[in-house]
Amino acid sequence: MIAAMVNQLTKNATLKELEVAGLASYYADHNKGIYPVDVSGVQFTAIYFAVTADPITDLMEDMTLEQRARKVYENLN
């Protein structure tokens, strides 16, 4: 979802607009393609995904992680 939003926001951007936005080095490496990295430049990895082959268990684990993340965000506000 986020990659699709970034794509929509940058697909018609000029090189000058990308430079002003601080995306010049990203553009040099990946053009306007979506390449998942965080603000520090650390690449996305799927190593943190847990899959048990049981859809119910996987869904429950995902919901638990979302609740933990929500609690962290609430504590930040």
Side-chain angles (χ1 to χ4, degrees):
M1 295 293 278
I2 293 172
M5 291 176 7
V6 171
N7 183 38
Q8 289 176 354
L9 292 170
T10 60
K11 71 179 176 183
N12 294 322
T14 65
L15 181 54
K16 186 68 173 172
E17 290 171 329
L18 292 172
E19 287 174 354
V20 170
L23 297 172
S25 62
Y26 180 89
Y27 177 82
D29 287 341
H30 309 290
N31 199 330
K32 292 183 184 176
I34 303 302
Y35 187 76
V37 296
D38 68 12
V39 295
S40 301
V42 177
Q43 299 174 6
F44 173 80
T45 178
I47 197 167
Y48 303 109
F49 291 139
V51 177
T52 63
D54 178 10
I56 301 299
T57 301
D58 291 343
L59 182 60
M60 293 300 291
E61 183 173 348
D62 290 346
M63 291 178 4
T64 302
L65 294 172
E66 288 294 331
Q67 289 296 322
R68 286 183 188 164
R70 190 185 107 230
K71 188 65 175 173
V72 169
Y73 298 140
E74 289 174 354
N75 289 338
L76 293 175
N77 290 328

